[in-house]
Amino acid sequence: MAPANPYAPLLDAIPVERREVAIGGGVTAYWVYGPADAATTVVAVHGFRGEHHGLEPVVAHLPDVRVISPDLPGFGETPPLPGVRHDLDAYAGWLTEFAAAVAPGAVILGHSFGSIVVSAAVAGGLDTPRVVLVNPIGAPALEGPRGLLTRLAVFYYWAGARLPKRLGDALLRNGLIVRVMSESMAKTKDPGLRTFIHDQHDTYFSRFADRDVLHDAFLASVSHDVREFAPRIAQPTLLVAAVRDDITPIEAERRLATMFPSAELVEIADVGHLIHYETPAPAAQAIRRFLAPSAPGTR
């Protein structure tokens, strides 16, 4: 039996519809949450190895916002883009095309690796009035407080791509390794919430299409960070950062905020890289305030 989802009562009250759209020569699966006549629409981009389910706890706390949440190409229910390497340019181009087709002019939100994809796309010309980055990757992953673990991850994904297919695939989908990843990221002491988080990772962290896409996306995630694009993002930007994030230290997030022409940093205490699972309510509160019609720069 799956553990209880602490956000299910809120989420169950929000209408949701699965849809598909032809993008980049392939088909992108996406989910539309909230009222069709909502004043604000947000396109929400999930992180590495995740899929749209991971952002649902935040969606649950934004019942009056229309949230459009796609699965990245090669993850969840979206097949890989045909005939391309899944590097950052490919993902940024896909997002630009997706937003224009499904929700032109929507606010764009990205979590973790999604923060890099969103930043690259917006800096490259994606039209949006505002940008929200949750757990933004604001420094090179190899230089973070867990740089050694990141280097081990580099070897892990390299081995998964180089071993014979059956062995490589088994390594990349290994449940014990997924659990170690989950344990290393979770900060909450609440046993029920930890169980829920681990179940989410057990269920969705291995729903990638194949090892080549996974390796490409991993290289994109550790070869880039939001700093590259921040100076070119003119739109008002909200950074929702974790004080205990092991991937980007809070000091680096504070420096990152100064690199944008117009950015606000909200720090959430006692949480790490899983704001979307552990503290979705304060994250949603910050997002709601940032999106309010009276907020500077709103259109």
Side-chain angles (χ1 to χ4, degrees):
M1 178 185 296
N5 180 344
Y7 310 111
L10 292 174
L11 196 61
D12 289 345
I14 298 175
V16 58
E17 179 183 354
R18 183 192 184 280
R19 299 179 184 176
E20 293 184 349
V21 62
I23 299 292
V27 175
T28 293
Y30 67 100
W31 286 256
V32 181
Y33 301 84
D37 60 352
T40 303
T41 296
V42 175
V43 172
V45 183
H46 65 78
F48 176 68
R49 281 194 76 147
E51 39 114 282
H52 73 281
H53 283 99
L55 292 174
E56 285 189 334
V58 178
V59 173
H61 290 86
L62 295 169
D64 55 343
V65 176
R66 185 170 180 254
V67 179
I68 297 175
S69 189
D71 283 348
L72 284 168
F75 295 89
E77 296 183 29
T78 298
L81 297 169
V84 302
R85 181 180 178 187
H86 286 67
D87 56 14
L88 184 57
D89 286 343
Y91 280 116
W94 161 84
L95 177 58
T96 300
E97 185 178 348
F98 175 82
V102 172
V107 174
I108 308 295
L109 178 152
H111 172 258
S112 188
F113 175 53
S115 74
I116 304 176
V117 174
V118 165
S119 297
V122 174
L126 189 160
D127 181 39
T128 180
R130 302 174 84 75
V131 178
V132 179
L133 306 178
V134 181
N135 285 124
I137 307 300
L142 296 176
E143 297 177 8
R146 294 204 173 186
L148 176 60
L149 288 180
T150 304
R151 287 176 173 80
L152 289 175
V154 170
F155 175 75
Y156 167 69
Y157 287 106
W158 175 85
R162 294 296 185 272
L163 287 170
K165 186 177 186 308
R166 181 176 296 180
L167 288 176
D169 193 68
L171 175 67
L172 294 170
R173 301 181 195 273
N174 183 275
L176 178 60
I177 294 176
V178 170
R179 178 56 59 90
V180 169
M181 294 178 187
S182 187
E183 289 282 0
S184 70
M185 289 188 289
K187 302 300 183 186
T188 180
K189 301 299 183 184
D190 182 323
L193 184 54
R194 288 188 74 90
T195 299
F196 167 70
I197 291 169
H198 296 331
D199 180 71
Q200 288 281 293
H201 288 145
D202 290 346
T203 303
Y204 300 118
F205 236 42
S206 294
R207 295 187 66 195
F208 53 87
D210 58 58
R211 62 181 184 168
D212 293 331
V213 169
L214 186 65
H215 186 248
D216 286 350
F218 174 74
L219 289 180
S221 73
V222 297
S223 302
H224 301 274
D225 62 73
V226 176
R227 297 176 308 166
E228 297 175 49
F229 311 105
R232 291 185 280 140
I233 297 176
Q235 294 88 335
T237 301
L238 173 66
L239 310 180
V240 183
V243 173
R244 299 177 61 195
D245 198 330
D246 291 320
I247 294 180
T248 301
I250 193 63
E251 294 81 7
E253 301 286 31
R254 292 166 183 162
R255 289 193 295 271
L256 175 65
T258 68
M259 299 178 184
F260 290 84
S262 175
E264 172 189 354
L265 173 65
V266 172
E267 300 180 14
I268 301 182
D270 299 322
V271 68
H273 203 65
L274 302 182
I275 283 176
H276 58 310
Y277 281 138
E278 296 188 40
T279 57
Q285 182 180 15
I287 293 168
R288 183 184 303 282
R289 178 177 50 77
F290 179 71
L291 298 181
S294 60
T298 303
R299 77 181 191 201

